[in-house]
Amino acid sequence: MADGKSDSSSHSSDNGEWCECNKSCLKRFCHMNVYWRCLILFGVVMIYLLLGGWIFSALERPNEIRQNEAELEANETYFQTLEVIVNLLVNNSNLSREEAMYLVNNVSDAAMRASDLTASENWLYASSVFFTVTVVTTIGYGAIAPVTRSGQDFFIIYAMVGIPLTVTFLAVLGVILKNVMSWLVKPLGNRLKNVWVNVGVILSFLVAGLTLFIFFPAIIFSAVDGWSYSESVYYCFVTLTTVGFGDFVPGIPESRFNGLYRICTGAWIFVGLAFVVLVISLMQEVYKHFAKKIRVKCKCVEHLVQEEEGLQDLTILDNSPEHVIKEEEGLQDLTTLDNSPEKPESSTEQN
């Protein structure tokens, strides 16, 4: 019994020390410079994404390979069936073998375009990393999704940890972008106290950000993915607002640079989302500024109304019959005092 009690007490003391260590580490992290915090979070997020991509690839790629093999067998059976059809046409019609082949090839090409039986490579490592980016940023295009039970179960755990981690990282990155913006506008000095100067600065920053994160990347997406420029702008906006319809997904499956291209797209998504966080923060500050001004004006108007109501109450009291009667009675009392006989007697006594 004594040994059991000592073991439980030592276990509780170890838990207490572990909790204190975690608290001290968290406090130290919160008091760190924002740039160090961003660097640490960046490293953690990158490791999390790379590790998640490896796990998803390990869980989903074998099933994808089996599906590709099944589709390849289906294609072989399909072409064998076409050969049988050609022989039947030649033997049972007036068509030559070339004419029969021409007819069957046209039909098979149309069928292949309709079925699109091509081998998928969605769960290669680079594509899996791109998938993890769409998960932790809550974009979720829907073009790639886990189909195995183990992949779906792991997705739930991965998203529960990854989404809060990414939100924290984007918030810190937004603070850094805000510091950069403050450094850029520092030469303006006291002119920033002017509301219209502030509005001009924010609009300039928005135009620069839209150009850098939407209009310029749209040129690249248009050139690489073969979309029109308006479709590329649409894709950039849908992605950075985390709507993620999935009707446009970047990628060049035929190229060996597809993985690198998708990883670069993931990096653009992270920086672009940090810009969106900064824009939301700036808009909140603008709303707070105007709301404060509106509240001050409302208080001034309310104070003026109260003063006017107070003056009206005083005027009503001055003109009320009771007040007039009291004033007349007061004047009468003064008159009787002035005309009373005690006043001259008191004056003679003084003499």
Side-chain angles (χ1 to χ4, degrees), residues 127-255:
S127 298
S128 300
V129 172
F130 180 73
F131 169 74
T132 60
V133 172
T134 63
V135 170
V136 298
T137 55
T138 68
I139 293 173
Y141 289 123
I144 307 173
V147 295
T148 63
R149 180 63 182 271
S150 56
Q152 292 170 351
D153 293 340
F154 176 70
F155 163 80
I156 295 172
I157 301 170
Y158 188 81
M160 287 177 64
V161 177
I163 292 172
L165 177 64
T166 304
V167 170
T168 305
F169 171 63
L170 290 176
V172 175
L173 192 57
V175 171
I176 290 178
L177 289 178
K178 191 174 181 180
N179 292 342
V180 171
M181 181 184 172
S182 301
W183 178 76
L184 290 174
V185 301
K186 192 175 181 180
L188 294 175
N190 292 328
R191 282 180 288 181
L192 288 173
K193 293 180 179 179
N194 190 317
V195 176
W196 296 111
V197 173
N198 269 320
V199 172
V201 168
I202 292 173
L203 289 176
S204 302
F205 183 75
L206 286 176
V207 170
L210 290 173
T211 303
L212 186 62
F213 295 110
I214 290 184
F215 298 128
F216 179 71
I219 298 173
I220 299 174
F221 288 123
S222 178
V224 175
D225 290 286
W227 304 332
S228 67
Y229 183 72
S230 60
E231 288 173 341
S232 300
V233 171
Y234 164 79
Y235 162 75
C236 292
F237 184 81
V238 167
T239 298
L240 294 186
T241 53
T242 68
V243 176
F245 290 126
D247 46 355
F248 291 94
V249 180
I252 38 177
E254 305 84 12
S255 174

Side-chain angles (χ1 to χ4, degrees), residues 52-90:
W54 178 76
I55 295 174
F56 275 115
S57 180
L59 293 174
E60 295 293 329
R61 182 61 181 166
N63 180 71
E64 187 177 49
I65 292 173
R66 288 193 295 271
Q67 287 182 348
N68 290 339
E69 291 174 351
E71 289 177 359
L72 183 62
E73 291 178 1
N75 284 340
E76 291 177 356
T77 305
Y78 180 73
F79 285 115
Q80 290 173 0
T81 305
L82 290 179
E83 184 67 24
V84 173
I85 292 172
V86 169
N87 292 330
L88 288 173
L89 287 173
V90 171

Side-chain angles (χ1 to χ4, degrees), residues 114-135:
S115 59
D116 192 20
L117 294 174
T118 56
S120 60
E121 295 182 345
N122 292 327
W123 294 108
L124 294 175
Y125 181 66
S127 298
S128 300
V129 172
F130 180 73
F131 169 74
T132 60
V133 172
T134 63
V135 170

